[in-house]
């Protein structure tokens, strides 16, 4: 095999672009850096194609002409559900999703199927399990989705669901039950 071939062995999270909107081009470049499998919502295909990106899977396309070797998948539901179910069935361990708006109801239920990080223009959203801890500098913010009793360390609540890191160091989330989604600004 020549050195210019890229082998996609599901080591990197797949990237599903549901809605690109005004997403940061530099961050998009970082998400594409290791040549992940790229899935695109049919409604955004022309825009993504115009950026010169190679689309691996077109989701719920509208009969548009596709690039060579682009797989087309259709489903009876929202393109997001079709894409994530496809990745789960194909045994992808993780996916990054780019969309305009984070809708908790759309993503709830997938957190046990696949490692999921959802990017919007201003934040990244991801599920955590009880005991999750991460090092953050003082002043970092988290938005905790859902209304659940939990214990947190090194965090102070300043608005409805917004928590700020008190001092440089680890923050930890402890709660019972299903994973929860948190968000942090990007």
């Amino acid at each position: 095999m020549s050195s210019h071939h890229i082998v996609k062995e599901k080591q990197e999270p797949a990237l599903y672009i549901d809605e690109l909107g005004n997403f940061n081009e530099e961050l998009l470049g970082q998400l594409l850096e290791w040549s992940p499998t790229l899935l695109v919502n049919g409604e955004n295909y022309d825009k993504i194609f115009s950026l010169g990106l190679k689309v691996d899977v077109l989701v719920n396309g509208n009969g548009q002409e596709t690039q060579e070797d682009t797989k087309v998948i259709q489903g009876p539901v929202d393109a997001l559900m079709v894409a994530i179910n496809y990745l789960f069935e194909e045994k992808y361990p993780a996916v990054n999703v780019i969309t305009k708006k984070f809708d908790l109801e759309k993503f709830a239920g997938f957190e046990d199927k696949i490692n999921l990080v959802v990017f919007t223009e201003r934040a990244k959203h991801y599920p955590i399990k009880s005991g999750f801890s991460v090092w953050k500098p003082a002043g970092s913010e988290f938005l905790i989705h859902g209304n659940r009793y939990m214990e947190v360390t090194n965090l102070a609540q300043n608005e409805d669901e917004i928590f700020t890191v008190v001092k440089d160091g680890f923050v930890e989330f402890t709660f019972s039950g299903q994973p929860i989604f948190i968000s942090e600004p990007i």
Side-chain angles (χ1 to χ4, degrees), residues 134-147:
V134 62
W135 191 96
K136 289 290 180 181
S140 299
E141 290 184 338
F142 289 98
L143 177 85
I144 299 174
H145 298 276
N147 183 346

Side-chain angles (χ1 to χ4, degrees), residues 67-127:
Q67 298 162 319
E68 187 179 337
D69 298 327
T70 297
K71 182 175 186 172
V72 179
I73 60 173
Q74 295 287 136
V77 290
D78 167 271
L80 173 77
M81 304 288 194
V82 174
I84 294 178
N85 280 320
Y86 168 81
L87 291 168
F88 176 70
E89 289 168 13
E90 293 292 316
K91 301 193 178 2
Y92 279 81
V95 62
N96 291 318
V97 176
I98 297 174
T99 191
K100 277 187 172 178
K101 179 180 180 285
F102 177 73
D103 182 348
L104 181 60
E105 289 182 18
K106 275 188 172 183
F107 293 99
F110 286 116
E111 64 272 3
D112 284 340
K113 289 185 172 185
I114 191 167
N115 288 332
L116 179 69
V117 179
V118 180
F119 291 88
T120 55
E121 291 173 24
R122 294 191 177 94
K124 72 176 185 178
H125 318 265
Y126 52 95

Side-chain angles (χ1 to χ4, degrees), residues 33-185:
E33 188 172 7
W34 296 101
S35 301
T37 298
L38 178 60
L39 296 87
V40 175
N41 181 332
E43 295 173 12
N44 281 256
Y45 180 77
D46 293 336
K47 182 174 186 176
I48 300 306
F49 180 74
S50 74
L51 295 174
L53 300 177
K54 170 66 180 109
V55 176
D56 297 297
V57 181
L58 176 63
V59 183
N60 285 0
N62 301 319
Q64 48 281 65
E65 195 170 311
T66 60
Q67 298 162 319
E68 187 179 337
D69 298 327
T70 297
K71 182 175 186 172
V72 179
I73 60 173
Q74 295 287 136
V77 290
D78 167 271
L80 173 77
M81 304 288 194
V82 174
I84 294 178
N85 280 320
Y86 168 81
L87 291 168
F88 176 70
E89 289 168 13
E90 293 292 316
K91 301 193 178 2
Y92 279 81
V95 62
N96 291 318
V97 176
I98 297 174
T99 191
K100 277 187 172 178
K101 179 180 180 285
F102 177 73
D103 182 348
L104 181 60
E105 289 182 18
K106 275 188 172 183
F107 293 99
F110 286 116
E111 64 272 3
D112 284 340
K113 289 185 172 185
I114 191 167
N115 288 332
L116 179 69
V117 179
V118 180
F119 291 88
T120 55
E121 291 173 24
R122 294 191 177 94
K124 72 176 185 178
H125 318 265
Y126 52 95
I128 61 169
K129 295 179 176 164
S130 183
F132 173 80
S133 71
V134 62
W135 191 96
K136 289 290 180 181
S140 299
E141 290 184 338
F142 289 98
L143 177 85
I144 299 174
H145 298 276
N147 183 346
R148 178 182 297 173
Y149 174 78
M150 70 176 59
E151 293 181 21
V152 293
T153 59
N154 195 21
L155 287 175
Q157 190 169 2
N158 58 12
E159 288 179 33
D160 294 335
E161 297 172 326
I162 300 199
F163 290 78
T164 304
V165 176
V166 179
K167 62 183 190 302
D168 290 1
F170 282 93
V171 296
E172 185 172 352
F173 300 82
T174 308
F175 52 90
S176 60
Q178 291 293 95
I180 60 167
F181 276 86
I182 63 172
S183 301
E184 52 183 296

